[in-house]
Amino acid sequence: MADEDDIPVTGAVREKLVARKEDWAREGRLLTGTPDAQHAVRLPPGQTEVKHWPVLDLGIQPDVAKDKFRLRLEGQVEQRVALDWTQFNALEQVDQVCDIHCVTQWSLYDAHFTGVRAKTLLAMARPRPAARFISFTSYDGYTTNIPLAAFDDDDVLLAHAWNGEPLTREHGAPVRVILPKLYFWKSPKWVTRIDFLTEDRPGFWEVRGYHNNGDPWLEERYG
Ligand SMILES: Nc1nc2c(c(=O)[nH]1)N[C@H]1C(S)=C(S)[C@@H](COP(=O)(O)O)O[C@H]1N2
Ligand SMILES: [Mo]
């Protein structure tokens, strides 16, 4: 019954089997609990774990006085929101532990942040159906963009504390965004405005050769 058509099919199937077995082998190694095996699941491709949290920015680290701080949600929303420091702190606060991944190839594990969930702010501003994208603006002039769907996620925080201490100025005090699922350039420090948009608006790094989505697991570094 076998004819020549079976040969390439068999070849393709075997390749798939080999690939699957390699996956099983990797997963099997994970079960042994060796440190390398942990990295295999926890570290996105091309990343290296660091023990100390680096500082990366444009070189301007604005000194935002708490009494001058405002967080605004504007654009395609039913309710514009402007929060001062006291109002921001009166919102429900949550604690979260997550890993962060910078496109310059460092990853920091178990970063403990305290702040307000993006979902809490979304419930206040109520984006209109036309709102599909977000543009963040910070006190240093930095901007970055994400789809609204990426903001509307349980692990997205507007953080004001790290490891139980107020964020330092260099890490974005008083408030920065934390988007653990994306490379860290998508997480603006010193954030002050969140614009809800119908069209995407590429930000500082997105117009300078960096990927528009920035998923570390897909290695979306440049685009
Ligand atoms: N406002 C602002 N946010 C920013 C940046 C910046 O220059 N300005 N740099 C981004 C980049 S490239 C990274 S990797 C992270 C670094 O945050 P960290 O300095 O707290 O590690 O902040 C991001 N958010
Ligand atoms: Mo970065």
Side-chain angles (χ1 to χ4, degrees):
M1 288 281 292
D3 58 33
E4 284 180 9
D5 285 349
D6 286 340
I7 295 167
V9 172
T10 307
V13 167
R14 193 173 292 143
E15 273 170 30
K16 270 192 186 168
L17 270 176
V18 170
R20 191 176 306 153
K21 285 183 118 174
E22 284 176 328
D23 287 344
W24 289 339
R26 272 194 290 273
E27 287 164 21
R29 282 217 330 266
L30 301 183
L31 296 176
T32 69
T34 63
D36 277 348
Q38 287 299 325
H39 282 217
V41 286
R42 200 165 178 187
L43 200 60
Q47 297 293 111
T48 304
E49 189 197 350
V50 293
K51 291 293 182 192
H52 298 284
W53 188 7
V55 173
L56 277 103
D57 49 54
L58 304 177
I60 309 158
Q61 298 181 338
D63 189 359
V64 184
K66 286 188 175 145
D67 61 340
K68 296 278 162 52
F69 169 79
R70 292 292 182 281
L71 179 64
R72 301 177 196 279
L73 285 76
E74 298 183 352
Q76 296 292 324
V77 290
E78 298 296 345
Q79 179 63 58
R80 292 175 70 177
V81 174
L83 300 167
D84 64 20
W85 178 245
T86 307
Q87 292 166 326
F88 177 79
N89 280 279
L91 299 177
E92 184 192 359
Q93 304 290 315
V94 297
D95 283 290
Q96 165 175 305
V97 176
C98 60
D99 298 347
I100 54 186
H101 308 292
C102 174
V103 73
T104 61
Q105 296 188 303
W106 56 264
S107 292
L108 181 72
Y109 289 167
D110 295 323
H112 176 181
F113 292 105
T114 309
V116 174
R117 273 196 218 289
K119 286 202 184 260
T120 300
L121 297 172
L122 287 171
M124 298 173 76
R126 288 178 285 122
R128 297 189 183 127
R132 293 190 45 228
F133 301 96
I134 279 180
S135 168
F136 298 108
T137 304
S138 297
Y139 281 105
D140 61 342
Y142 185 80
T143 57
T144 187
N145 59 302
I146 54 167
L148 173 55
F151 191 64
D152 189 5
D153 202 341
D154 288 327
D155 63 0
V156 180
L157 283 196
L158 285 279
H160 58 77
W162 176 66
N163 289 355
E165 299 289 332
L167 270 184
T168 58
R169 172 176 166 183
E170 59 186 2
H171 285 302
V175 176
R176 77 170 300 157
V177 179
I178 299 294
L179 282 149
K181 291 194 179 76
L182 300 176
Y183 281 124
F184 212 34
W185 89 78
K186 294 285 192 182
S187 292
K189 311 197 269 192
W190 313 291
V191 69
T192 182
R193 209 172 75 233
I194 307 176
D195 283 306
F196 293 78
L197 307 171
T198 56
E199 304 289 329
D200 203 4
R201 186 192 290 166
F204 184 88
W205 287 118
E206 291 82 5
V207 300
R208 287 172 176 77
Y210 284 80
H211 200 282
N212 202 53
N213 291 318
D215 181 338
W217 298 98
L218 302 176
E219 264 207 286
E220 292 175 339
R221 297 177 191 275
Y222 315 108

